[in-house]
């Protein structure tokens, strides 16, 4: 394995248990991508595998048939509680809500379960960089892997990242050859049932409000995020948002080396934005008893932020976090400037998808909470027409008013949350913002936004809601927006 910045690399998993002993029984609850990957891993390691899903839709049935052909016992349309509870290891997919009847029944019996990444950790031989946070974690994780690759490392990217950007952790555990580093994005749902995996580098991008449709409170959501710090050791290096008091408070007493990134001012050791550039300052940074494999000669300017292809000020923060994580893993600053400039915007995250009649279309479908939309608005310049709506997650849309001021000229509110969004935003914004509700299909929503947009403006899909009232997921919503942009461009003015 290539050099690490003076860090004593903790093992990825504190437990070295395997599945070889006496044909261990593994039950996997949920047959989405993560569940299928966990089942494939367990089968490859010689376990007796039972996979179960309460759904019996086409996707589940197809995955079930594949796993059955590989040797798993498969139950679809119902959960066989006694069989699941008798397993040596139970793996719960992140999409299974904590109040699901199967989990409630297991809990009542005193039977526990692990997350899919935790299960994968038994077999991951590479050191881990774990990235979490409310927003920005996908871009940060992908950019970190990109920076490591540019620095000559074999870095595998996966976890919660999805969207074709990387596989679940269990798939990475079967990689051959073993990568130098594994970079995992992890959600609060995955962290909730993680106990034994240990990050060499842990990244917390920010802490805001999200998933109140699943959590009883913000505090409960943050408790699961805090699991990242609970699974670290004194040998873990933490990359922390120096501009987010909630992150700093949560990490304050956590053992390990602390590096901070900031848009507001210099941090040492850390990374920050200054005079339009990104600066890495790790002078004097040592970890693991001062066993520095590399010494830094003070602040180094890496790139001019405008040379990056990423839109938005918040993506500068994501870049700073990725730079610190990659540097802590051993990447040299000399390779980072060019790598930052060559990184392509990720789909559905402030992704420019076309220009029609002088109006720039930007797909930010992944912005499924209010904080993500506020970040997008704060980071974009010019006048905007904002498409906002979808499945209501219970957050207050009034909180967007400060970010909309002098920037958002029109809001098109739509979907299941459209009526509430219209009422709250109308009450909170000044006369400079018009709010129009559209009750029709998504095509009508977009057409209305385009008709209201003027040349030189940006038509921004940044919904602050999940997509399930109209689409399978945020990716399908973003793909529909991109397709409409293409169709409009072909039609011309």
């Amino acid at each position: 394995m290539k050099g690490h910045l003076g860090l004593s690399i903790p093992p990825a998993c504190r437990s070295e248990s395997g599945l070889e002993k006496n044909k261990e029984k593994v039950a996997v609850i949920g047959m989405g991508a993560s569940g299928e990957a966990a089942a494939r891993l367990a089968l490859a390691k010689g376990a007796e595998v039972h996979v179960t899903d309460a759904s019996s839709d086409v996707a589940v049935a197809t995955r079930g048939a594949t796993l059955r052909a590989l040797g798993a016992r498969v139950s679809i349309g119902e959960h066989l509680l006694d069989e699941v509870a008798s397993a040596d290891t139970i793996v719960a997919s992140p999409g299974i809500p904590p109040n699901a009847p199967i989990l409630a029944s297991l809990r009542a019996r005193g039977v526990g379960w692990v997350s899919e990444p935790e299960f994968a950790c038994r077999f991951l031989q590479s050191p881990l960089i774990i990235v979490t946070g409310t927003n920005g974690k996908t871009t940060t994780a992908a950019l970190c892997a990109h920076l490591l690759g540019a620095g000559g490392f074999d870095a595998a990217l996966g976890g919660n990242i999805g969207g074709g950007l990387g596989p679940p952790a269990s798939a990475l555990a079967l990689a051959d050859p073993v990568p130098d580093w594994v970079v995992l994005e992890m959600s609060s749902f995955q962290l909730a049932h993680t106990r034994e995996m240990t990050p060499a580098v842990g990244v917390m991008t920010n802490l805001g409000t999200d998933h109140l449709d699943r959590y009883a409170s913000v505090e409960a959501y943050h408790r699961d995020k805090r699991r990242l710090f609970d699974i670290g050791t004194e040998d873990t290096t933490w990359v922390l948002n120096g501009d987010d008091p909630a992150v700093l408070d949560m990490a304050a007493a956590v053992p390990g080396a602390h590096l901070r990134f900031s848009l507001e001012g210099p941090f040492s050791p850390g990374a920050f934005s200054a005079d339009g550039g990104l600066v890495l300052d790790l002078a004097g940074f040592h970890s693991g008893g001062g066993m520095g494999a590399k010494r830094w000669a003070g602040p180094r300017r890496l790139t001019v932020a405008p040379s990056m292809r990423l839109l938005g000020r918040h993506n500068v923060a994501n870049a700073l976090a990725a730079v610190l994580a990659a540097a802590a893993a051993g990447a040299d600053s000399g390779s980072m400037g060019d790598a930052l400039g060559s990184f392509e915007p990720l789909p559905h995250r402030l992704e420019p998808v076309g220009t029609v009649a002088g109006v720039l279309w930007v797909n930010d479908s992944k912005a499924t909470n209010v904080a993500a939309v506020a970040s997008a608005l704060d980071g974009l310049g010019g006048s905007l027409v904002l498409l906002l709506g979808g499945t209501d997650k219970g957050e207050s849309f009034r909180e967007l008013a400060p970010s909309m001021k002098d920037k958002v000229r029109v809001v098109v509110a739509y979907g299941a949350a459209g009526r509430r969004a219209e009422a709250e935003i109308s009450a909170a914004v000044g006369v400079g913002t018009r709010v129009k509700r559209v009750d029709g299909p998504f095509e009508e929503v977009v057409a209305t936004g385009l008709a209201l947009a003027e040349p030189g403006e940006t038509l921004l899909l940044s919904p602050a809601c999940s997509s399930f009232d109209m689409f399978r997921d945020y990716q399908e919503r973003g793909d529909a927006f991109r397709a409409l942009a293409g169709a409009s461009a072909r039609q011309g003015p």
Side-chain angles (χ1 to χ4, degrees):
M1 183 191 315
K2 297 194 178 183
H4 187 266
L5 182 64
L7 305 185
S8 176
I9 301 177
C13 189
R14 296 173 194 160
S15 170
E16 296 181 357
S17 59
L19 305 183
E20 297 80 6
K21 55 168 189 170
N22 302 321
K23 198 71 172 179
E24 183 172 341
K25 296 180 180 179
V26 175
V28 180
I29 305 172
M31 229 176 298
S34 293
E36 180 183 12
R40 286 176 175 270
L41 175 60
L43 288 166
K45 297 300 180 180
E48 182 180 316
V49 179
H50 171 220
V51 190
T52 178
D53 199 302
S55 173
S56 55
D57 64 22
V58 174
V60 169
T62 300
R63 284 193 171 107
T66 300
L67 292 172
R68 189 179 287 112
L70 293 173
R73 293 194 312 282
V74 176
S75 302
I76 62 174
E78 63 175 343
H79 295 299
L80 304 180
L81 177 60
D82 289 340
E83 186 168 352
V84 172
S86 67
D88 300 303
T89 299
I90 301 172
V91 182
S93 298
I96 309 297
N99 59 351
I102 180 65
L103 298 186
S105 297
L106 292 173
R107 197 179 293 114
R109 294 189 180 196
V111 176
W113 57 88
V114 299
S115 68
E116 178 268 326
E118 171 99 337
F119 177 68
C121 170
R122 292 191 188 184
F123 311 100
L124 284 169
Q125 300 176 50
S126 310
L128 299 179
I129 298 173
I130 297 179
V131 181
T132 195
T134 299
N135 295 306
K137 52 188 177 291
T138 296
T139 297
T140 300
L143 182 50
C144 178
H146 179 74
L147 293 173
L148 286 170
F153 293 87
D154 177 14
L157 173 67
N160 185 64
I161 197 163
L165 301 174
S170 292
L172 297 181
L174 292 172
D176 184 19
V178 174
D180 297 320
W181 284 92
V182 166
V183 182
L184 291 181
E185 177 194 327
M186 290 187 65
S187 69
S188 59
F189 306 157
Q190 293 172 322
L191 286 166
H193 303 293
T194 299
R195 299 290 181 271
E196 298 297 329
M197 64 192 302
T198 304
V201 181
V203 183
M204 183 72 77
T205 59
N206 47 60
L207 282 170
T209 302
D210 200 3
H211 301 302
L212 294 186
D213 52 343
R214 174 156 167 166
Y215 288 98
S217 65
V218 176
E219 291 74 20
Y221 166 61
H222 284 189
R223 261 197 311 275
D224 282 352
K225 287 294 188 187
R226 187 189 158 72
R227 290 297 312 155
L228 174 69
F229 298 118
D230 294 338
I231 60 178
T233 72
E234 64 277 3
D235 293 320
T236 301
T237 293
W238 303 109
V239 175
L240 308 171
N241 189 334
D243 300 331
D244 191 326
V247 171
L248 298 181
D249 287 347
M250 185 179 285
V254 174
H258 289 205
L259 305 177
R260 299 183 185 183
F261 62 93
S262 174
L263 295 173
E264 305 301 330
F267 274 111
S268 183
F272 53 93
S273 175
D275 300 323
L278 307 186
V279 179
L280 177 66
D281 186 357
L282 293 178
F285 170 54
H286 299 288
S287 182
M291 301 160 39
K294 183 184 294 184
R295 293 187 176 275
W296 299 80
R300 296 186 181 186
R301 181 174 294 272
L302 300 179
T303 186
V304 177
S307 70
M308 295 193 303
R309 302 183 189 185
L310 298 174
L311 296 176
R313 189 166 181 261
H314 66 291
N315 271 324
V316 178
N318 295 335
L320 291 167
V323 161
L324 279 179
D332 189 90
S333 62
S335 65
M336 291 188 187
D338 289 343
L340 286 167
S342 65
F343 184 74
E344 296 281 354
L346 299 181
H348 315 299
R349 296 157 179 88
L350 284 183
E351 174 196 15
V353 293
T355 299
V356 179
V359 176
L360 174 65
W361 293 45
V362 176
N363 168 24
D364 197 33
S365 182
K366 183 62 173 65
T368 58
N369 57 58
V370 166
V373 177
S375 290
L377 297 178
D378 291 341
L380 292 175
S383 180
L384 304 171
V385 174
L386 173 64
L387 309 182
L388 183 148
T391 302
D392 200 328
K393 297 175 79 173
E395 294 187 78
S396 171
F397 298 112
R398 295 181 183 90
E399 296 176 8
L400 287 170
S403 297
M404 289 182 178
K405 186 177 180 181
D406 300 325
K407 186 170 289 187
V408 177
R409 188 175 60 82
V410 180
V411 175
V412 179
Y414 71 93
R419 188 174 298 275
R420 186 170 72 85
E422 178 190 30
E424 292 187 0
I425 294 172
S426 295
V429 298
V431 295
T433 300
R434 175 186 176 187
V435 183
K436 180 176 178 58
R437 192 178 86 248
V438 175
D439 294 324
F442 189 68
E443 292 79 5
E444 183 180 344
V445 173
V446 176
T448 300
L450 183 60
L452 293 170
E454 299 176 352
E457 291 190 317
T458 296
L459 180 64
L460 173 65
L461 172 66
S462 195
C465 300
S466 55
S467 59
F468 306 126
D469 57 342
M470 293 182 175
F471 299 99
R472 180 179 63 250
D473 51 32
Y474 75 86
Q475 297 167 59
E476 186 177 63
R477 176 172 60 190
D479 289 342
F481 183 74
R482 188 191 298 109
L484 289 169
S488 296
R490 287 191 296 272
Q491 290 173 3

